[in-house]
């Protein structure tokens, strides 16, 4: 007590601190209790929501109408997107068998001319992967029409590679269409499977699923540098760069399925191959010497222009980033079918 009487100011400060600590402790305890209660309530509410989501909808008319409305809205948006993609892709005109062969030969000559002007090497037997149709006709006009559209898509990719200044196209291969196969083999295989079905046996019917697109795979092996590869990858994913003509509104749709890149030269230069000889422009520059006996005159006493020293010999060469690349690409040319224009949603029972 004597100390408090002697130090009234300090005692008052300590007293306020003690009261403040006690008040803050009470507030902290109360806040912690409120937090624990809110957390328990939140966890319980989350469990109830998860349980409700896992339950089946009650078979009421209101729920049925709400579900139909959501399905219809989703289906409408999908149909709009599919229809837009369908109409943005090029329209393929009907082609006869001989017309496709003439078109193929003309396009091959055109691309060879463009590649020669750009100094880009093509495979020895370049035909967009349609080598068999240079001498024979497709099996039907329908096949010729589909092959004509297929040819347009591959040509768009080849022209894009030329525009990106690849050094060479070393390989071009494509997957054949189903309709290119021999129809007689398909008919014979179906006739063999027919008798295996027992008379009166019920046939299982699988649900019909509407196919909205078809993928046609094209494989390339190209030689190019870093800049050309980056430019090609960027433009290949942009439908604007895959237009039939620059002023057209329709574009081909391409999707890169596989990309494998490796250096054209897999091993670095050895030490003895890294030495670079001094060129003719790096020869030693000798100072000008004036022969007094021939001129009979004294050397000028005024300012003299000194010759610059010779450049230092080359003692290093770049070994990284200068080599070309070999890139293997598998590209899917996507064709949207008639079903993409509109899919009727299945009615849920």
């Amino acid at each position: 007590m004597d100390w408090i009487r002697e130090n009234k100011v300090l005692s008052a400060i300590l007293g306020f601190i003690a009261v403040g600590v006690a008040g803050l402790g009470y507030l902290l305890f109360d806040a912690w209790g409120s937090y624990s209660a809110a957390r328990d309530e939140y966890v319980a509410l989350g469990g109830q929501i998860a349980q409700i989501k896992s339950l089946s909808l009650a078979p009421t008319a209101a729920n049925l109408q709400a579900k139909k409305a959501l399905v219809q809205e989703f289906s409408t948006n999908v149909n709009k997107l599919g229809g837009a993609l369908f109409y943005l892709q090029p329209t393929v005109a009907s082609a006869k068998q001989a017309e496709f062969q003439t078109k193929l030969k003309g396009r091959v000559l055109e691309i060879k001319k463009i590649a020669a002007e750009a100094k880009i090497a093509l495979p020895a037997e370049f035909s967009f992967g349609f080598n068999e149709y240079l001498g024979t006709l497709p099996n039907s006009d329908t096949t010729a029409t589909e092959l004509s559209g297929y040819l347009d898509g591959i040509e768009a990719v080849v022209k894009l590679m030329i525009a990106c200044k690849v050094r060479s196209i070393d390989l071009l291969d494509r997957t054949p269409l189903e309709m290119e196969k021999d129809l007689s083999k398909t008919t014979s295989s179906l006739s063999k499977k027919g008798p295996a079905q027992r008379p009166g046996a019920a046939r299982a019917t699988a649900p019909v699923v509407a196919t909205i697109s078809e993928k046609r795979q094209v494989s390339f092996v190209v030689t190019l540098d870093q800049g050309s590869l980056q430019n090609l990858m960027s433009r290949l994913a942009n439908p604007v760069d895959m237009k039939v003509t620059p002023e057209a509104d329709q574009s081909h749709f391409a999707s890169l399925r596989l990309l494998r890149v490796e250096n054209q030269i897999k091993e670095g230069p050895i030490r003895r191959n890294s030495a670079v000889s001094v060129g003719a422009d790096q020869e030693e520059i000798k100072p000008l010497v004036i022969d007094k006996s021939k001129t009979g005159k004294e050397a000028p006493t005024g300012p003299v222009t000194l010759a610059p020293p010779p450049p230092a010999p080359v003692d290093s060469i770049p070994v990284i980033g200068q080599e070309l690349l070999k890139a293997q690409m598998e590209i899917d040319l996507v064709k949207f079918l008639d079903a993409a224009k509109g899919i009727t949603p299945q009615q849920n029972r």
Side-chain angles (χ1 to χ4, degrees), residues 150-171:
Y150 200 176
L151 173 62
D152 293 339
I154 299 178
E155 182 185 10
V157 178
V158 172
K159 286 185 176 180
L160 182 60
M161 290 182 174
I162 295 176
C164 293
K165 298 180 181 180
V166 301
R167 299 298 179 88
S168 66
I169 300 177
D170 306 318
L171 175 67

Side-chain angles (χ1 to χ4, degrees), residues 167 224-226 264-265 317-325:
R167 299 298 179 88
L224 69 176
D225 56 20
Q226 297 279 356
Q264 187 182 28
I265 302 176
I317 59 173
V319 296
I320 298 177
Q322 302 296 323
E323 69 277 5
L324 297 178
L325 305 175

Side-chain angles (χ1 to χ4, degrees), residues 132-348:
E132 64 271 23
Y133 295 111
L134 293 176
T136 59
L137 298 177
N139 53 28
S140 65
D141 292 343
T142 303
T143 304
T145 302
E146 292 297 323
L147 290 175
S148 179
Y150 200 176
L151 173 62
D152 293 339
I154 299 178
E155 182 185 10
V157 178
V158 172
K159 286 185 176 180
L160 182 60
M161 290 182 174
I162 295 176
C164 293
K165 298 180 181 180
V166 301
R167 299 298 179 88
S168 66
I169 300 177
D170 306 318
L171 175 67
L172 195 162
D173 194 14
R174 68 176 184 91
T175 55
L177 301 177
E178 289 293 332
M179 58 181 61
E180 293 183 67
K181 299 177 181 179
D182 191 1
L183 299 180
S184 61
K185 293 181 180 180
T186 305
T187 306
S188 61
S189 63
L190 291 177
S191 61
K192 291 179 181 179
K193 293 181 180 179
Q197 182 72 27
R198 292 182 300 172
R203 297 182 179 180
T205 57
V208 179
V209 179
T211 303
I212 64 173
S213 65
E214 177 183 336
K215 295 182 180 180
R216 301 167 177 180
Q217 186 174 334
V218 187
S219 300
F220 290 90
V221 175
V222 295
T223 303
L224 69 176
D225 56 20
Q226 297 279 356
S228 297
L229 178 61
Q230 295 175 7
N231 190 19
L232 179 59
M233 292 297 97
S234 169
R235 299 182 64 181
L236 188 64
N238 186 10
V240 176
D241 293 320
M242 292 288 291
K243 288 185 176 180
V244 182
T245 57
E247 63 276 1
D249 296 330
Q250 297 175 328
S251 304
H252 294 280
F253 296 97
S255 174
L256 184 63
R257 173 189 291 268
L258 175 99
L259 174 64
R260 180 180 179 183
V261 183
E262 62 183 17
N263 291 334
Q264 187 182 28
I265 302 176
K266 298 182 179 180
E267 296 181 358
I270 58 178
R271 188 177 185 85
R272 64 173 176 269
N273 293 337
S274 300
V276 181
S277 60
V278 178
D281 57 340
Q282 298 172 337
E283 294 179 355
E284 183 181 359
I285 300 177
K286 298 180 180 180
L288 179 62
V289 179
I290 300 176
D291 190 354
K292 297 181 181 180
S293 62
K294 294 182 179 180
T295 60
K297 298 180 181 179
E298 295 292 336
T301 57
V304 179
T305 303
L306 299 177
V314 177
D315 60 352
S316 63
I317 59 173
V319 296
I320 298 177
Q322 302 296 323
E323 69 277 5
L324 297 178
L325 305 175
K326 283 281 188 181
Q328 177 187 357
M329 304 179 186
E330 291 185 3
I331 301 173
D332 286 340
L333 295 174
V334 183
K335 177 188 176 183
F336 294 96
L337 306 178
D338 293 340
K341 293 184 292 186
I343 304 174
T344 304
Q346 296 181 358
Q347 299 294 334
N348 298 320

